[in-house]
Amino acid sequence: METAQQSNETAEKTLFPDEADHLAMIRDKLVDAIERANESVEQTDREYMAVKRYMAQYCGEIDPHEMFQNELSLRQMDKWGVFAVDSRDKLVKLLDSPYFARVDFREAASPNPPAAFYIGRFAFTADGRVLISDWRSPVAGMFYDCEIGPAGYDAPARRITGELTRKRQFKIKGGTLEYVLETSVAIDDAVLQRELSRTADEKMKSIIATIQKEQNRLIRNEQAGTLLIQGVAGSGKTSVALHRVAYLLYRHRGRLLAKNVAILSPSKVFADYISQVLPELGEEPVGVGSFADIAAEQLDGIIRFESEPDPLETAETKWADRVRFKSTLEFKEQMDAYLERMPETIFAPADYTYDRFIATSEWIGSRFAAYRRHPVKRRLQLLAEDIRNRFETENFLGDSLPTSRSILKSLLTRLTIKNTLSLYKDFYKQMNSADKFVMPAKNTLEWADVYPFIYFLAAFEGIREHPLIQHLVIDEMQDYTPTQHAVITLLFSCRKTILGDFGQSIHIRHRHTLNDLRQIYKEAECVELNKSYRSTYEIITFAGRILKAASIEAVERHGEAPELLCCRDGQAEIDQIEQEIEKFGNSGHGTLGIIVKTNAAAQTLFDVLASKQNVNLILPASATFSEGVSIASIQMAKGLEFDRVIIPAANHETYSSEHDRSLLYIACTRAMHRLTLTYTGEITRLLGA
């Protein structure tokens, strides 16, 4: 009996016989290429092992020169082997899904018929012809940006103009042509709807087949030194940032390498979640770290610090006041004002004499001021070298002179403040805000003080910059204070892609805004993405009412309305959740997220359900994202997406404040297809307020 997939394939062959024939030709070419690639890999392996056996067998007889040549050959074969395996793996991926689009383009004034360009994840060349163009190539840009009619693209040498005469989109899976769509616009709604209706994969998916025009402009933006993306939930901003990295690695191959790119991620789980996007696009994985990782590197051997607490679980009033105080742009400006005058207030120039040699206080003061771009202690190092050099030029009689180190030691004694911690304490003292700095233990900082302290460290002693990194991606920008962003600008002087959504802030005590970040990144190009693609129209409309976010545009992909389930008591709510888990198991969906307000609540619910249900628990210490049922706090669920979402305890006791609007919005917008809220007592009034 014919399956639905076979039926689709037959229909497409009938409607588009040219495309069926073309796909068959491409498959044959790919099979041949894979066979040759396998032979190349096997040949390299044989040659490598032959050299290894020869070196082992005659190790006592080979002279050093021959040994060196053999070792060099092994290294070259090893590199070639890696390249051959990588090339073969790309061909295998192409065999499954060679391309997803076709554009027919005729150059201006050309007598030739339009040329057909097929576009896929990777380029494929056979018999001296480009059969598939990489999605990042200039010609592929016409697929995303141009409609039928006048069109063009920027080739390496010049702008090519002409006419776009055809656009088609394909779905090819397992080498089978599932559908072909003739389209005149960038992305046909039917394609977008089909792709969005599919279940979530275990890892974040590539979006190259459904990139929208506005997203494509961001991905291919090479002019912006810093790109600041404010995007609503489900707008694809993280995917855009990762695809932008892939595009830049492709465009600047040889100059920009994977080791030159870093991503600052909000959690290890999210880092794992996005880890396969770049390899899926043919690029090596890039480094992924966190603000805590950077702090640990900068403060190693200097001072300890506490981990960032769950912002929703710490209710101590004075602690909350300290966090709020340090989260504003005004606080960063107060630090700037203090540090601007600090060098001259803590270092008083005085004459430095050594036997008959003297450097006057006036000369020392002028040299100290000349190095104002450097940290204070580096300024003193440079000053000590200047004094030593001056004495050398005056030493006509060959007298003994002090070393630069001994001069520096003398200059350091003239500092009224000796280390960064003392300087940081003095800052609060000068502001009459000594109560705003509290150390939880000896030589240990609260998390809210970590980045302000590093900011002071940069001005006083110096910090370790990262010249190797040429492109930095910062996700969830709204969760980091202006001071944290200011430190990043000191550490990374490279291009940046910074993204987030100020409608999804989990830090109830943070008081900064998007405009504040624009003050930090003054040269940044700022863009907004207001269309949400992740959730169904019903879910995103429901979530938009919670946040009162009129700017959110929901894609017209319809599904079930969110379900509100009232339970008579806590046990009945647990029973209801278990019923929803059972429905999920029979649904064909791949992921179910049970999202609660705090990490402590996630642990409690896991302890209740784990004895009967196969569930995963996502906590700050977790490192991987898995399919199936996951229990997570709102903090840990940020950035993730699930086919289905359950939000327990959706009552007014749990979600009542204005900040809770943001939290409930985050939880709701994790759902792609189905959203269920369970509650006891009175349902949260935020749903109708």
Side-chain angles (χ1 to χ4, degrees):
M1 187 173 179
E2 189 177 51
T3 65
Q5 183 174 350
Q6 290 170 330
S7 177
N8 286 342
E9 184 181 9
T10 301
E12 298 305 326
K13 284 182 177 179
T14 302
L15 291 171
F16 298 94
D18 59 327
E19 296 297 357
D21 292 343
H22 183 81
L23 177 59
M25 181 272 291
I26 292 292
R27 281 183 54 81
D28 290 343
K29 297 287 187 184
L30 284 168
V31 169
D32 290 343
I34 291 170
E35 289 179 0
R36 291 194 300 272
N38 278 326
E39 291 172 2
S40 177
V41 170
E42 292 169 3
Q43 178 65 23
T44 302
D45 285 343
R46 287 193 295 270
E47 291 176 359
Y48 186 88
M49 294 309 300
V51 174
K52 290 284 285 185
R53 283 193 297 270
Y54 174 79
M55 292 175 66
Q57 186 175 356
Y58 299 103
C59 61
E61 304 173 29
I62 302 175
D63 64 62
H65 177 72
E66 185 181 359
M67 180 65 76
F68 173 77
Q69 291 297 324
N70 286 331
E71 290 174 350
L72 184 62
S73 295
L74 286 176
R75 285 196 292 270
Q76 290 173 334
M77 281 189 283
D78 191 44
K79 289 181 180 179
W80 171 250
V82 171
F83 174 77
V85 169
D86 181 60
S87 299
R88 180 194 60 189
D89 291 347
K90 286 182 180 179
L91 292 170
V92 171
K93 289 180 179 179
L94 283 180
L95 187 63
D96 177 74
S97 181
Y99 46 83
F100 56 83
R102 166 185 170 176
V103 293
D104 289 12
F105 178 72
R106 179 170 50 222
E107 290 190 33
S110 173
N112 300 321
F117 297 91
Y118 286 83
I119 301 165
R121 283 182 294 172
F122 319 118
F124 174 56
T125 301
D127 303 325
R129 290 192 303 142
V130 177
L131 299 180
I132 302 173
S133 296
D134 191 290
W135 69 275
R136 296 164 289 190
S137 63
V139 72
M142 292 191 295
F143 165 66
Y144 301 109
D145 291 336
C146 302
E147 300 180 14
I148 299 299
Y153 61 94
D154 293 315
R158 62 186 177 90
R159 174 78 178 172
I160 307 295
T161 59
E163 180 187 10
L164 203 63
T165 61
R166 169 172 287 163
K167 290 179 68 173
R168 283 178 176 171
Q169 293 176 259
F170 312 94
K171 181 65 178 182
I172 303 172
K173 189 174 181 180
T176 298
L177 188 63
E178 293 190 357
Y179 61 75
V180 183
L181 285 174
E182 199 90 45
T183 175
S184 63
V185 295
I187 299 295
D188 190 279
D189 283 345
V191 173
L192 188 60
Q193 304 301 348
R194 290 196 197 205
E195 294 304 311
L196 293 175
S197 68
R198 297 175 184 272
T199 61
D201 292 332
E202 188 174 355
K203 307 287 186 182
M204 178 179 281
K205 294 180 290 187
S206 165
I207 63 168
I208 53 175
T210 57
I211 290 172
Q212 304 298 289
K213 186 179 292 188
E214 61 179 348
Q215 295 173 330
N216 189 51
R217 281 196 293 267
L218 299 179
I219 290 169
R220 294 173 186 258
N221 186 329
E222 297 184 65
Q223 284 70 47
T226 295
L227 190 59
L228 201 64
I229 305 174
Q230 158 66 33
V232 299
S235 58
K237 53 188 176 293
T238 301
S239 285
V240 165
L242 295 174
H243 284 71
R244 184 174 189 233
V245 167
Y247 174 76
L248 293 173
L249 288 170
Y250 173 86
R251 288 281 290 136
H252 302 286
R253 193 169 300 279
R255 288 181 290 147
L256 181 68
L257 305 175
K259 67 179 181 180
N260 303 131
V261 179
I263 300 173
L264 292 183
S265 167
S267 69
K268 294 178 181 177
V269 171
F270 187 71
D272 177 67
Y273 184 63
I274 66 175
S275 63
Q276 290 305 309
V277 174
L278 290 175
E280 183 71 12
L281 297 173
E283 300 295 344
E284 296 178 35
V286 301
V288 181
S290 67
F291 275 74
D293 294 333
I294 289 175
E297 176 193 48
Q298 295 296 328
L299 300 182
D300 183 36
I302 298 174
I303 197 167
R304 296 187 295 272
F305 60 89
E306 289 187 329
S307 299
E308 182 177 18
D310 185 332
L312 305 178
E313 291 181 347
T314 309
E316 201 268 309
T317 304
K318 291 184 178 179
W319 172 85
D321 288 342
R322 295 194 295 273
V323 172
R324 190 177 299 110
F325 178 74
K326 295 161 190 174
S327 72
T328 64
L329 181 62
E330 181 185 5
F331 175 73
K332 187 259 179 188
E333 291 171 344
Q334 289 173 325
M335 291 194 298
D336 287 337
Y338 175 88
L339 292 173
E340 178 68 25
R341 61 179 182 270
M342 173 269 298
E344 282 66 36
T345 61
I346 68 171
F347 177 71
D351 292 350
Y352 178 85
T353 60
Y354 187 86
D355 290 341
R356 64 185 181 84
F357 302 97
I358 182 170
T360 65
S361 60
E362 292 78 9
W363 183 85
I364 287 176
S366 68
R367 296 308 302 155
F368 182 75
Y371 293 124
R372 66 179 69 254
R373 292 186 297 108
H374 297 281
V376 168
K377 289 196 172 179
R378 177 58 181 158
R379 290 166 76 167
L380 294 181
Q381 289 176 340
L382 295 169
L383 178 55
E385 293 169 6
D386 285 350
I387 292 173
R388 165 73 187 190
N389 292 336
R390 175 173 175 168
F391 287 178
E392 283 184 341
T393 62
E394 297 173 354
N395 189 16
F396 303 113
L397 302 178
D399 296 341
S400 63
L401 295 174
T403 63
S404 297
R405 179 177 294 183
S406 67
I407 298 172
L408 175 61
K409 188 175 181 180
S410 175
L411 293 175
L412 288 171
T413 64
R414 297 173 187 174
L415 287 174
T416 59
I417 292 180
K418 307 299 183 183
N419 57 54
T420 302
L421 182 58
S422 298
L423 186 70
Y424 191 55
K425 290 178 178 178
D426 184 68
F427 164 66
Y428 289 97
K429 179 181 177 182
Q430 296 299 323
M431 286 199 306
N432 296 316
S433 300
D435 62 317
K436 293 296 191 293
F437 178 61
V438 174
M439 299 184 74
K442 184 179 180 181
N443 202 42
T444 303
L445 297 172
E446 286 184 330
W447 175 253
D449 285 305
V450 169
Y451 273 79
F453 182 89
I454 296 174
Y455 201 60
F456 272 67
L457 184 67
F460 187 63
E461 299 182 52
I463 52 180
R464 306 179 186 96
E465 298 180 27
H466 292 266
L468 179 66
I469 301 302
Q470 298 177 32
H471 195 99
L472 179 70
V473 176
I474 304 175
D475 207 350
E476 303 294 353
M477 63 182 179
Q478 73 279 358
D479 289 337
Y480 309 119
T481 67
T483 299
Q484 287 177 296
H485 283 281
V487 169
I488 291 300
T489 64
L490 296 176
L491 292 171
F492 300 92
S493 58
C494 59
R495 291 172 175 258
K496 301 176 184 69
T497 303
I498 304 169
L499 57 142
D501 178 13
F502 272 82
Q504 297 186 65
S505 175
I506 61 170
H507 288 277
I508 187 172
R509 296 164 187 90
H510 283 187
R511 290 293 181 265
H512 61 290
T513 67
L514 178 59
N515 284 334
D516 292 337
L517 290 198
R518 287 173 171 163
Q519 294 300 311
I520 303 295
Y521 303 104
K522 292 183 183 295
E523 305 301 320
E525 180 178 333
C526 303
V527 295
E528 293 190 22
L529 297 176
N530 292 321
K531 183 172 287 187
S532 180
Y533 301 98
R534 174 192 297 136
S535 308
T536 62
Y537 180 88
E538 288 74 16
I539 292 173
I540 204 65
T541 302
F542 177 84
R545 288 198 300 268
I546 296 170
L547 196 62
K548 299 180 179 179
S551 61
I552 300 177
E553 301 174 38
V555 170
E556 292 280 343
R557 177 173 65 87
H558 291 281
E560 301 175 58
E563 191 172 13
L564 309 177
L565 301 177
C566 180
C567 306
R568 67 178 181 275
D569 55 32
Q571 183 55 54
E573 187 169 15
I574 294 297
D575 293 342
Q576 186 65 59
I577 291 171
E578 291 183 330
Q579 290 178 33
E580 293 299 315
I581 293 174
E582 184 176 348
K583 291 178 184 177
F584 161 73
N586 298 323
S587 69
H589 285 149
T591 55
L592 167 65
I594 304 177
I595 303 175
V596 294
K597 192 170 184 180
T598 67
N599 290 315
Q603 181 69 65
T604 300
L605 183 59
F606 175 80
D607 292 340
V608 172
L609 293 176
S611 61
K612 297 181 181 179
Q613 305 290 337
N614 182 17
V615 293
N616 307 305
L617 177 61
I618 301 177
L619 291 175
S622 303
T624 57
F625 177 81
S626 302
E627 286 195 314
V629 183
S630 297
I631 301 175
S633 67
I634 293 171
Q635 177 191 25
M636 298 307 301
K638 280 187 63 179
L640 305 180
E641 62 184 26
F642 303 89
D643 294 317
R644 295 177 169 224
V645 164
I646 302 171
I647 303 176
N651 51 47
H652 190 64
E653 181 180 354
T654 306
Y655 298 99
S656 58
S657 71
E658 283 303 301
H659 182 71
D660 288 337
R661 287 187 186 277
S662 175
L663 302 179
L664 196 55
Y665 169 77
I666 294 169
C668 291
T669 54
R670 301 309 95 199
M672 292 179 61
H673 307 297
R674 179 178 169 85
L675 173 63
T676 303
L677 290 80
T678 65
Y679 65 98
T680 59
E682 180 188 4
I683 194 166
T684 172
R685 297 170 195 166
L686 300 178
L687 298 182

